[in-house]
Amino acid sequence: MSTLPQAVARQVDAAGLSGARLVAAVSGGPDSLALLHALHCIAGSHTLSLHVAHVDHGLRPSSGQDAEFVRERAGALSLPCTIVAVDVPSRRDGSFSESAARDARYWALSRVAEVEGAAAIATGHTLDDQAETVLLHAVRGSGLAGLRAMSVLSAAPVGGSPSRIFRPLLGVRRSETLAYCRELGLAPLEDESNSDARIPRNLVRLDVMPLLERLNPRAADALARLAATAGNAQDFLDVALDAEWPSLAVAREGAVALDRERLRALHPALRALAVRRACAEVGGSATLDAAHVEAVLQLVEGPAGREAPLPGGVRAEARHDTLVLHAPGASLLPSLDGEHALRVPGVTAAGGWRVEIQFVPMLSNLDSPLFTALLDADALGDELSMRARRPGDRFQPLGMAEGSRKLQDCLVDAHVPRRERDAVPLLVSPRGVAWVVGHAVAHWARVMPETRRVLRIDASREGTAS
């Protein structure tokens, strides 16, 4: 007798999903059909509430029959069932993108889970799927994040979705799901597209894995162990990056700025991970190809003003002190209307900004230099305000002992994109522009050996810590 239900039960317990409501994603193939019956088998002992969902991609003439098959199987188990039809964009040659189909599928499943109040979406991914995913990610150069492949419990790979994906068969071979279906007298659906070697995953399944199994009959198990090892290493690096992130990155919706100097000081593994995390935070992919990561890291070492396009319309821009990743149309800076008087010392809400000013010891260090400055309090005076630029504004950059320059020219030299120049905040005193926030302090406002009092000024978006 198959032990597959017991294996699923152990994963339900390990994931803390006993007593939960689950959406079972069922295509009608052997893996998802085996999963459905295993979950149904243990539902009573684990007080599981099940809802069956089938996504009709409309990519095959028989897709309507597949949907009806799943509905009948759900009915035979007295389980509710939802069929969702989705549109998958076709290429010019009539083919379709696997990733587009996957995104459409997870979007549909997430909507069902939301409506049903489910704790997770259960899918029939097996150990064989894991091995194939590791190989596909490896040849695409996706790094550790790709080698870890799938986890038993993870967030749905759909932007903004709160759903979780539960893969209780991830340690089970495909041969075991087939055997379980035979044991139950089930006749799973056959997807004729599974024999199409033009689809990368099918090529790996049909040609690559059999060759690897000639070298090692347990190649799939070895690749699954590699995924687990990569996952552990990735978790360790994530924790290390968490410790660096507050002083490395400044973020707002759709944009992240990384301090170039601090990024260069990181271990190469953390540098690459920081790029991937920043890209993911602005709506891009966390599993960028190695070529994309390398292109961004070259910006860190190169001159300001250069850019690199990334998947999903994300762009990376090198500025003098920062590397900015942003989604299409996004800006790192919130708009700033009017002029806002600042409390000295104190905290002031200034437009979309929060400005904290305090007196600090002379030898203070900056732990977040992008939007933080140390300035000479006596040179500034007590009447400080924050505003955006105005026509005729001039600025005396650090190092210019006499005279001043047009602020517009300073922003151009700093490679501030045209779309952001009107949003750059300025710290202003009666003497003039003392700090171009995020870029430079005025020469006359700098801290010198003879400075008697030092002001630390922290600017952050309202609602975030400085």
Side-chain angles (χ1 to χ4, degrees):
M1 179 175 290
S2 174
T3 59
L4 193 142
Q6 288 77 15
V8 171
R10 287 193 295 272
Q11 296 288 18
V12 168
D13 290 335
L17 290 173
S18 291
R21 183 164 179 78
L22 301 177
V23 166
V26 181
S27 67
D31 299 337
S32 64
L33 205 57
L35 171 65
L36 173 63
H37 283 77
L39 286 171
H40 184 261
C41 178
I42 67 169
S45 60
H46 286 69
T47 58
L48 296 176
S49 174
L50 303 177
H51 186 100
V52 179
H54 174 83
V55 180
D56 183 356
H57 299 86
L59 298 173
R60 298 184 293 117
S62 61
S63 64
Q65 299 172 18
D66 295 350
E68 191 55 36
F69 172 83
V70 172
R71 193 192 303 276
E72 290 175 358
R73 290 312 314 158
L77 299 175
S78 300
L79 295 176
C81 179
T82 298
I83 308 295
V84 183
V86 296
D87 291 322
V88 180
S90 298
R91 301 189 180 104
R92 291 183 179 180
D93 62 1
S95 64
F96 67 94
S97 162
E98 283 186 276
S99 61
R102 181 203 61 189
D103 289 347
R105 179 166 60 254
Y106 279 120
W107 178 89
L109 292 171
S110 295
R111 299 290 79 75
V112 175
E114 185 177 6
V115 170
E116 296 299 324
I121 301 162
T123 67
H125 293 104
T126 65
L127 185 145
D128 297 80
D129 294 311
Q130 181 80 316
E132 293 157 10
T133 301
V134 170
L135 287 175
L136 287 168
H137 286 180
V139 298
R140 291 168 182 163
S142 57
L144 271 181
L147 289 182
R148 80 181 303 171
M150 296 177 283
S151 303
V152 172
L153 191 64
S154 64
V158 180
S161 171
S163 301
R164 293 185 298 170
I165 305 301
F166 177 45
R167 304 178 180 92
L169 301 183
L170 212 53
V172 174
R173 295 298 305 267
R174 187 173 291 133
S175 58
E176 296 177 69
T177 65
L178 286 165
Y180 186 55
C181 286
R182 287 194 297 269
E183 182 180 309
L184 297 178
L186 302 174
L189 295 174
E190 294 285 344
D191 185 347
E192 59 270 20
S193 68
N194 285 340
S195 62
D196 184 354
R198 294 173 300 177
I199 298 174
R201 182 172 289 275
N202 292 346
L203 178 65
V204 169
R205 178 184 300 129
L206 298 172
D207 295 343
V208 178
M209 286 303 301
L211 286 174
L212 292 177
E213 286 167 349
R214 288 170 59 182
L215 294 173
N216 177 4
R218 302 195 65 181
D221 297 275
L223 289 166
R225 287 195 300 273
L226 174 61
T229 301
N232 289 334
Q234 184 69 53
D235 290 341
F236 178 84
L237 291 174
D238 283 335
V239 171
L241 184 58
D242 287 342
E244 301 286 347
W245 197 251
S247 60
L248 174 68
V250 175
R252 77 179 303 256
E253 187 175 354
V256 173
L258 302 174
D259 183 280
R260 290 175 68 174
E261 183 177 350
R262 290 177 182 268
L263 192 60
R264 277 192 290 265
L266 293 179
H267 186 281
L270 289 183
R271 284 203 296 268
L273 184 57
V275 169
R276 296 180 189 279
R277 180 179 293 189
C279 187
E281 286 201 4
V282 301
S285 172
T287 55
L288 295 173
D289 290 349
H292 288 124
V293 174
E294 182 59 29
V296 175
L297 292 177
Q298 286 179 1
L299 296 180
V300 178
E301 301 300 333
R306 293 185 178 177
E307 298 186 3
L310 298 174
V314 174
R315 298 195 70 82
E317 299 177 0
R319 302 185 185 176
H320 277 301
D321 298 318
T322 60
L323 176 73
V324 178
L325 284 81
H326 61 83
S331 169
L332 186 66
L333 307 174
S335 59
L336 179 62
D337 296 325
E339 185 163 358
H340 302 265
L342 303 177
R343 296 184 181 92
V344 183
V347 177
T348 309
W353 293 86
R354 175 186 183 274
V355 183
E356 181 176 2
I357 300 177
Q358 55 186 314
F359 289 97
V360 296
M362 179 68 179
L363 298 179
S364 296
N365 293 318
L366 296 183
D367 53 10
S368 180
L370 182 59
F371 288 161
T372 301
L374 298 178
L375 300 173
D376 187 312
D378 294 318
L380 290 176
D382 296 330
E383 296 181 12
L384 300 181
S385 62
M386 180 176 279
R387 62 171 173 81
R389 66 173 179 165
R390 294 173 180 170
D393 273 338
R394 299 187 70 84
F395 181 63
Q396 184 182 2
L398 192 63
M400 179 182 282
E402 296 183 1
S404 63
R405 301 182 63 205
K406 291 181 179 179
L407 178 62
Q408 162 73 9
D409 294 341
C410 295
L411 294 175
V412 171
D413 289 348
H415 296 282
V416 178
R418 184 187 301 272
R419 65 180 178 276
E420 289 191 2
R421 292 173 195 165
D422 286 335
V424 174
L426 306 176
L427 181 79
V428 181
S429 85
R431 187 168 175 177
V433 177
W435 179 31
V436 181
V437 178
H439 297 281
V441 300
H443 187 80
W444 57 264
R446 73 194 187 283
V447 174
M448 297 181 291
E450 59 269 27
T451 297
R452 295 184 301 109
R453 298 188 304 157
V454 178
L455 278 183
R456 173 179 170 133
I457 305 176
D458 293 281
S460 63
R461 293 183 298 115
E462 274 190 286
T464 65
S466 58

